[in-house]
PDB file of all heavy atoms in Angstrom:
ATOM      1  N   ASN M  98     -21.273   4.450  -8.180  1.00 98.00           N
ATOM      2  CA  ASN M  98     -20.755   3.563  -7.143  1.00 98.00           C
ATOM      3  C   ASN M  98     -19.323   3.147  -7.462  1.00 98.00           C
ATOM      4  O   ASN M  98     -18.859   3.277  -8.591  1.00 98.00           O
ATOM      5  CB  ASN M  98     -21.673   2.341  -6.938  1.00 98.00           C
ATOM      6  CG  ASN M  98     -21.670   1.393  -8.119  1.00 98.00           C
ATOM      7  OD1 ASN M  98     -20.658   0.761  -8.415  1.00 98.00           O
ATOM      8  ND2 ASN M  98     -22.812   1.301  -8.816  1.00 98.00           N
ATOM      9  N   VAL M  99     -18.639   2.685  -6.424  1.00 98.00           N
ATOM     10  CA  VAL M  99     -17.304   2.108  -6.589  1.00 98.00           C
ATOM     11  C   VAL M  99     -17.336   0.709  -5.978  1.00 98.00           C
ATOM     12  O   VAL M  99     -18.149   0.430  -5.105  1.00 98.00           O
ATOM     13  CB  VAL M  99     -16.186   2.940  -5.905  1.00 98.00           C
ATOM     14  CG1 VAL M  99     -16.286   4.406  -6.290  1.00 98.00           C
ATOM     15  CG2 VAL M  99     -16.210   2.777  -4.390  1.00 98.00           C
ATOM     16  N   ILE M 100     -16.417  -0.133  -6.468  1.00 98.00           N
ATOM     17  CA  ILE M 100     -16.324  -1.487  -5.927  1.00 98.00           C
ATOM     18  C   ILE M 100     -14.962  -1.626  -5.256  1.00 98.00           C
ATOM     19  O   ILE M 100     -13.947  -1.203  -5.812  1.00 98.00           O
ATOM     20  CB  ILE M 100     -16.402  -2.547  -7.051  1.00 98.00           C
ATOM     21  CG1 ILE M 100     -17.482  -2.207  -8.057  1.00 98.00           C
ATOM     22  CG2 ILE M 100     -16.531  -3.954  -6.466  1.00 98.00           C
ATOM     23  CD1 ILE M 100     -18.845  -2.675  -7.777  1.00 98.00           C
ATOM     24  N   ALA M 101     -14.973  -2.200  -4.073  1.00 98.00           N
ATOM     25  CA  ALA M 101     -13.704  -2.483  -3.402  1.00 98.00           C
ATOM     26  C   ALA M 101     -13.839  -3.819  -2.678  1.00 98.00           C
ATOM     27  O   ALA M 101     -14.948  -4.247  -2.332  1.00 98.00           O
ATOM     28  CB  ALA M 101     -13.354  -1.374  -2.411  1.00 98.00           C
ATOM     29  N   ALA M 102     -12.698  -4.464  -2.456  1.00 98.00           N
ATOM     30  CA  ALA M 102     -12.698  -5.726  -1.720  1.00 98.00           C
ATOM     31  C   ALA M 102     -12.798  -5.436  -0.227  1.00 98.00           C
ATOM     32  O   ALA M 102     -12.521  -4.330   0.233  1.00 98.00           O
ATOM     33  CB  ALA M 102     -11.426  -6.506  -2.032  1.00 98.00           C
ATOM     34  N   ASP M 103     -13.191  -6.478   0.526  1.00 98.00           N
ATOM     35  CA  ASP M 103     -13.329  -6.325   1.962  1.00 98.00           C
ATOM     36  C   ASP M 103     -12.766  -7.561   2.673  1.00 98.00           C
ATOM     37  O   ASP M 103     -13.303  -8.640   2.499  1.00 98.00           O
ATOM     38  CB  ASP M 103     -14.811  -6.137   2.299  1.00 98.00           C
ATOM     39  CG  ASP M 103     -15.035  -5.901   3.784  1.00 98.00           C
ATOM     40  OD1 ASP M 103     -14.121  -5.341   4.431  1.00 98.00           O
ATOM     41  OD2 ASP M 103     -16.097  -6.280   4.293  1.00 98.00           O
ATOM     42  N   PRO M 104     -11.695  -7.394   3.497  1.00 98.00           N
ATOM     43  CA  PRO M 104     -11.013  -6.142   3.782  1.00 98.00           C
ATOM     44  C   PRO M 104      -9.975  -5.789   2.720  1.00 98.00           C
ATOM     45  O   PRO M 104      -9.357  -6.647   2.126  1.00 98.00           O
ATOM     46  CB  PRO M 104     -10.320  -6.417   5.115  1.00 98.00           C
ATOM     47  CG  PRO M 104     -10.068  -7.880   5.135  1.00 98.00           C
ATOM     48  CD  PRO M 104     -11.182  -8.502   4.339  1.00 98.00           C
ATOM     49  N   SER M 105      -9.844  -4.472   2.531  1.00 98.00           N
ATOM     50  CA  SER M 105      -8.801  -3.953   1.666  1.00 98.00           C
ATOM     51  C   SER M 105      -8.383  -2.590   2.213  1.00 98.00           C
ATOM     52  O   SER M 105      -8.699  -2.269   3.357  1.00 98.00           O
ATOM     53  CB  SER M 105      -9.314  -3.862   0.228  1.00 98.00           C
ATOM     54  OG  SER M 105      -8.255  -3.543  -0.668  1.00 98.00           O
ATOM     55  N   PHE M 106      -7.691  -1.818   1.407  1.00 97.00           N
ATOM     56  CA  PHE M 106      -7.201  -0.529   1.893  1.00 97.00           C
ATOM     57  C   PHE M 106      -8.398   0.398   2.173  1.00 97.00           C
ATOM     58  O   PHE M 106      -9.221   0.630   1.283  1.00 97.00           O
ATOM     59  CB  PHE M 106      -6.272   0.070   0.839  1.00 97.00           C
ATOM     60  CG  PHE M 106      -5.408   1.181   1.355  1.00 97.00           C
ATOM     61  CD1 PHE M 106      -4.603   0.996   2.468  1.00 97.00           C
ATOM     62  CD2 PHE M 106      -5.412   2.413   0.722  1.00 97.00           C
ATOM     63  CE1 PHE M 106      -3.811   2.026   2.943  1.00 97.00           C
ATOM     64  CE2 PHE M 106      -4.605   3.452   1.198  1.00 97.00           C
ATOM     65  CZ  PHE M 106      -3.812   3.249   2.304  1.00 97.00           C
ATOM     66  N   PRO M 107      -8.514   0.911   3.405  1.00 95.00           N
ATOM     67  CA  PRO M 107      -9.728   1.647   3.794  1.00 95.00           C
ATOM     68  C   PRO M 107      -9.934   2.977   3.069  1.00 95.00           C
ATOM     69  O   PRO M 107     -11.036   3.522   3.081  1.00 95.00           O
ATOM     70  CB  PRO M 107      -9.542   1.872   5.297  1.00 95.00           C
ATOM     71  CG  PRO M 107      -8.155   1.482   5.636  1.00 95.00           C
ATOM     72  CD  PRO M 107      -7.571   0.709   4.504  1.00 95.00           C
ATOM     73  N   TYR M 109     -10.192   3.671  -0.023  1.00 98.00           N
ATOM     74  CA  TYR M 109     -11.104   3.645  -1.170  1.00 98.00           C
ATOM     75  C   TYR M 109     -12.515   4.019  -0.716  1.00 98.00           C
ATOM     76  O   TYR M 109     -13.241   4.741  -1.387  1.00 98.00           O
ATOM     77  CB  TYR M 109     -11.137   2.261  -1.829  1.00 98.00           C
ATOM     78  CG  TYR M 109      -9.787   1.646  -2.087  1.00 98.00           C
ATOM     79  CD1 TYR M 109      -9.572   0.278  -1.870  1.00 98.00           C
ATOM     80  CD2 TYR M 109      -8.721   2.418  -2.553  1.00 98.00           C
ATOM     81  CE1 TYR M 109      -8.334  -0.303  -2.109  1.00 98.00           C
ATOM     82  CE2 TYR M 109      -7.486   1.842  -2.789  1.00 98.00           C
ATOM     83  CZ  TYR M 109      -7.301   0.483  -2.563  1.00 98.00           C
ATOM     84  OH  TYR M 109      -6.080  -0.087  -2.786  1.00 98.00           O
ATOM     85  N   VAL M 110     -12.878   3.478   0.443  1.00 96.00           N
ATOM     86  CA  VAL M 110     -14.203   3.761   0.994  1.00 96.00           C
ATOM     87  C   VAL M 110     -14.287   5.232   1.385  1.00 96.00           C
ATOM     88  O   VAL M 110     -15.278   5.914   1.094  1.00 96.00           O
ATOM     89  CB  VAL M 110     -14.489   2.851   2.214  1.00 96.00           C
ATOM     90  CG1 VAL M 110     -15.817   3.232   2.863  1.00 96.00           C
ATOM     91  CG2 VAL M 110     -14.476   1.382   1.798  1.00 96.00           C
ATOM     92  N   ALA M 111     -13.224   5.732   2.000  1.00 95.00           N
ATOM     93  CA  ALA M 111     -13.216   7.130   2.428  1.00 95.00           C
ATOM     94  C   ALA M 111     -13.385   8.057   1.225  1.00 95.00           C
ATOM     95  O   ALA M 111     -14.164   9.022   1.278  1.00 95.00           O
ATOM     96  CB  ALA M 111     -11.912   7.437   3.164  1.00 95.00           C
ATOM     97  N   ALA M 113     -14.797   7.508  -1.701  1.00 97.00           N
ATOM     98  CA  ALA M 113     -16.161   7.440  -2.238  1.00 97.00           C
ATOM     99  C   ALA M 113     -17.145   8.132  -1.304  1.00 97.00           C
ATOM    100  O   ALA M 113     -18.059   8.835  -1.742  1.00 97.00           O
ATOM    101  CB  ALA M 113     -16.564   5.986  -2.461  1.00 97.00           C
ATOM    102  N   GLU M 119     -21.771   5.630  -3.734  1.00 97.00           N
ATOM    103  CA  GLU M 119     -22.054   4.376  -3.031  1.00 97.00           C
ATOM    104  C   GLU M 119     -20.817   3.481  -3.082  1.00 97.00           C
ATOM    105  O   GLU M 119     -20.073   3.493  -4.062  1.00 97.00           O
ATOM    106  CB  GLU M 119     -23.228   3.687  -3.743  1.00 97.00           C
ATOM    107  CG  GLU M 119     -23.666   2.371  -3.127  1.00 97.00           C
ATOM    108  CD  GLU M 119     -24.469   1.501  -4.105  1.00 97.00           C
ATOM    109  OE1 GLU M 119     -24.979   2.031  -5.125  1.00 97.00           O
ATOM    110  OE2 GLU M 119     -24.564   0.295  -3.854  1.00 97.00           O
ATOM    111  N   VAL M 120     -20.620   2.711  -2.000  1.00 97.00           N
ATOM    112  CA  VAL M 120     -19.501   1.776  -1.982  1.00 97.00           C
ATOM    113  C   VAL M 120     -20.060   0.360  -1.949  1.00 97.00           C
ATOM    114  O   VAL M 120     -20.919   0.047  -1.132  1.00 97.00           O
ATOM    115  CB  VAL M 120     -18.625   1.974  -0.726  1.00 97.00           C
ATOM    116  CG1 VAL M 120     -17.431   1.022  -0.769  1.00 97.00           C
ATOM    117  CG2 VAL M 120     -18.150   3.406  -0.619  1.00 97.00           C
ATOM    118  N   ARG M 121     -19.589  -0.477  -2.854  1.00 98.00           N
ATOM    119  CA  ARG M 121     -19.994  -1.884  -2.838  1.00 98.00           C
ATOM    120  C   ARG M 121     -18.794  -2.722  -2.440  1.00 98.00           C
ATOM    121  O   ARG M 121     -17.795  -2.771  -3.158  1.00 98.00           O
ATOM    122  CB  ARG M 121     -20.484  -2.319  -4.215  1.00 98.00           C
ATOM    123  CG  ARG M 121     -21.693  -1.533  -4.621  1.00 98.00           C
ATOM    124  CD  ARG M 121     -22.308  -2.063  -5.879  1.00 98.00           C
ATOM    125  NE  ARG M 121     -23.541  -1.329  -6.137  1.00 98.00           N
ATOM    126  CZ  ARG M 121     -24.254  -1.447  -7.230  1.00 98.00           C
ATOM    127  NH1 ARG M 121     -23.866  -2.282  -8.184  1.00 98.00           N
ATOM    128  NH2 ARG M 121     -25.364  -0.749  -7.381  1.00 98.00           N
ATOM    129  N   LEU M 122     -18.903  -3.338  -1.279  1.00 98.00           N
ATOM    130  CA  LEU M 122     -17.780  -4.131  -0.776  1.00 98.00           C
ATOM    131  C   LEU M 122     -17.982  -5.599  -1.121  1.00 98.00           C
ATOM    132  O   LEU M 122     -19.061  -6.151  -0.922  1.00 98.00           O
ATOM    133  CB  LEU M 122     -17.669  -3.962   0.744  1.00 98.00           C
ATOM    134  CG  LEU M 122     -17.275  -2.557   1.213  1.00 98.00           C
ATOM    135  CD1 LEU M 122     -17.280  -2.477   2.738  1.00 98.00           C
ATOM    136  CD2 LEU M 122     -15.912  -2.158   0.661  1.00 98.00           C
ATOM    137  N   VAL M 123     -16.942  -6.206  -1.636  1.00 98.00           N
ATOM    138  CA  VAL M 123     -17.002  -7.607  -2.042  1.00 98.00           C
ATOM    139  C   VAL M 123     -16.036  -8.403  -1.173  1.00 98.00           C
ATOM    140  O   VAL M 123     -14.824  -8.140  -1.193  1.00 98.00           O
ATOM    141  CB  VAL M 123     -16.619  -7.748  -3.531  1.00 98.00           C
ATOM    142  CG1 VAL M 123     -16.631  -9.214  -3.951  1.00 98.00           C
ATOM    143  CG2 VAL M 123     -17.558  -6.915  -4.403  1.00 98.00           C
ATOM    144  N   PRO M 124     -16.557  -9.364  -0.392  1.00 98.00           N
ATOM    145  CA  PRO M 124     -15.681 -10.107   0.517  1.00 98.00           C
ATOM    146  C   PRO M 124     -14.557 -10.847  -0.223  1.00 98.00           C
ATOM    147  O   PRO M 124     -14.726 -11.251  -1.379  1.00 98.00           O
ATOM    148  CB  PRO M 124     -16.621 -11.126   1.183  1.00 98.00           C
ATOM    149  CG  PRO M 124     -18.004 -10.633   0.930  1.00 98.00           C
ATOM    150  CD  PRO M 124     -17.960  -9.783  -0.300  1.00 98.00           C
ATOM    151  N   LEU M 125     -13.434 -11.033   0.468  1.00 98.00           N
ATOM    152  CA  LEU M 125     -12.338 -11.835  -0.084  1.00 98.00           C
ATOM    153  C   LEU M 125     -12.781 -13.297  -0.141  1.00 98.00           C
ATOM    154  O   LEU M 125     -13.741 -13.688   0.512  1.00 98.00           O
ATOM    155  CB  LEU M 125     -11.106 -11.717   0.820  1.00 98.00           C
ATOM    156  CG  LEU M 125     -10.536 -10.319   1.032  1.00 98.00           C
ATOM    157  CD1 LEU M 125      -9.312 -10.395   1.953  1.00 98.00           C
ATOM    158  CD2 LEU M 125     -10.151  -9.677  -0.294  1.00 98.00           C
ATOM    159  N   ASP M 132     -11.658 -11.646  -4.691  1.00 98.00           N
ATOM    160  CA  ASP M 132     -12.534 -12.534  -5.445  1.00 98.00           C
ATOM    161  C   ASP M 132     -12.914 -11.808  -6.737  1.00 98.00           C
ATOM    162  O   ASP M 132     -13.939 -11.130  -6.822  1.00 98.00           O
ATOM    163  CB  ASP M 132     -13.764 -12.864  -4.585  1.00 98.00           C
ATOM    164  CG  ASP M 132     -14.630 -13.927  -5.234  1.00 98.00           C
ATOM    165  OD1 ASP M 132     -14.509 -14.142  -6.458  1.00 98.00           O
ATOM    166  OD2 ASP M 132     -15.427 -14.538  -4.502  1.00 98.00           O
ATOM    167  N   ALA M 135     -16.412 -12.341  -8.240  1.00 98.00           N
ATOM    168  CA  ALA M 135     -17.490 -11.672  -7.490  1.00 98.00           C
ATOM    169  C   ALA M 135     -17.414 -10.151  -7.687  1.00 98.00           C
ATOM    170  O   ALA M 135     -18.451  -9.471  -7.747  1.00 98.00           O
ATOM    171  CB  ALA M 135     -17.400 -12.021  -6.011  1.00 98.00           C
ATOM    172  N   ILE M 136     -16.211  -9.627  -7.818  1.00 98.00           N
ATOM    173  CA  ILE M 136     -16.056  -8.185  -8.056  1.00 98.00           C
ATOM    174  C   ILE M 136     -16.654  -7.834  -9.415  1.00 98.00           C
ATOM    175  O   ILE M 136     -17.434  -6.877  -9.540  1.00 98.00           O
ATOM    176  CB  ILE M 136     -14.568  -7.771  -7.963  1.00 98.00           C
ATOM    177  CG1 ILE M 136     -14.116  -7.826  -6.499  1.00 98.00           C
ATOM    178  CG2 ILE M 136     -14.343  -6.371  -8.549  1.00 98.00           C
ATOM    179  CD1 ILE M 136     -12.641  -7.575  -6.272  1.00 98.00           C
ATOM    180  N   ALA M 139     -20.340  -7.627  -9.360  1.00 98.00           N
ATOM    181  CA  ALA M 139     -20.935  -6.518  -8.597  1.00 98.00           C
ATOM    182  C   ALA M 139     -21.012  -5.223  -9.413  1.00 98.00           C
ATOM    183  O   ALA M 139     -21.636  -4.245  -8.993  1.00 98.00           O
ATOM    184  CB  ALA M 139     -20.130  -6.285  -7.325  1.00 98.00           C
ATOM    185  N   TRP M 148     -11.588  -0.666  -7.447  1.00 98.00           N
ATOM    186  CA  TRP M 148     -10.292  -0.575  -6.755  1.00 98.00           C
ATOM    187  C   TRP M 148      -9.718  -1.962  -6.528  1.00 98.00           C
ATOM    188  O   TRP M 148     -10.335  -2.778  -5.837  1.00 98.00           O
ATOM    189  CB  TRP M 148     -10.467   0.096  -5.394  1.00 98.00           C
ATOM    190  CG  TRP M 148     -10.909   1.525  -5.423  1.00 98.00           C
ATOM    191  CD1 TRP M 148     -12.159   2.009  -5.169  1.00 98.00           C
ATOM    192  CD2 TRP M 148     -10.086   2.679  -5.682  1.00 98.00           C
ATOM    193  NE1 TRP M 148     -12.163   3.385  -5.256  1.00 98.00           N
ATOM    194  CE2 TRP M 148     -10.915   3.817  -5.573  1.00 98.00           C
ATOM    195  CE3 TRP M 148      -8.733   2.855  -5.988  1.00 98.00           C
ATOM    196  CZ2 TRP M 148     -10.433   5.119  -5.762  1.00 98.00           C
ATOM    197  CZ3 TRP M 148      -8.255   4.147  -6.179  1.00 98.00           C
ATOM    198  CH2 TRP M 148      -9.102   5.260  -6.065  1.00 98.00           C
ATOM    199  N   PHE M 324     -10.064  -3.818  10.523  1.00 96.00           N
ATOM    200  CA  PHE M 324     -10.431  -4.261   9.180  1.00 96.00           C
ATOM    201  C   PHE M 324     -11.664  -5.161   9.229  1.00 96.00           C
ATOM    202  O   PHE M 324     -11.969  -5.862   8.266  1.00 96.00           O
ATOM    203  CB  PHE M 324      -9.271  -5.038   8.539  1.00 96.00           C
ATOM    204  CG  PHE M 324      -8.035  -4.218   8.284  1.00 96.00           C
ATOM    205  CD1 PHE M 324      -6.957  -4.257   9.141  1.00 96.00           C
ATOM    206  CD2 PHE M 324      -7.954  -3.398   7.160  1.00 96.00           C
ATOM    207  CE1 PHE M 324      -5.809  -3.503   8.902  1.00 96.00           C
ATOM    208  CE2 PHE M 324      -6.813  -2.647   6.914  1.00 96.00           C
ATOM    209  CZ  PHE M 324      -5.744  -2.698   7.783  1.00 96.00           C
TER     210      PHE M 324
END
Side-chain angles (χ1 to χ4, degrees):
N98 68 67
V99 310
I100 317 273
D103 183 29
S105 188
F106 196 54
Y109 313 140
V110 175
E119 181 200 342
V120 182
R121 298 188 175 173
L122 293 176
V123 178
L125 301 180
D132 187 341
I136 288 174
W148 295 103
F324 295 100

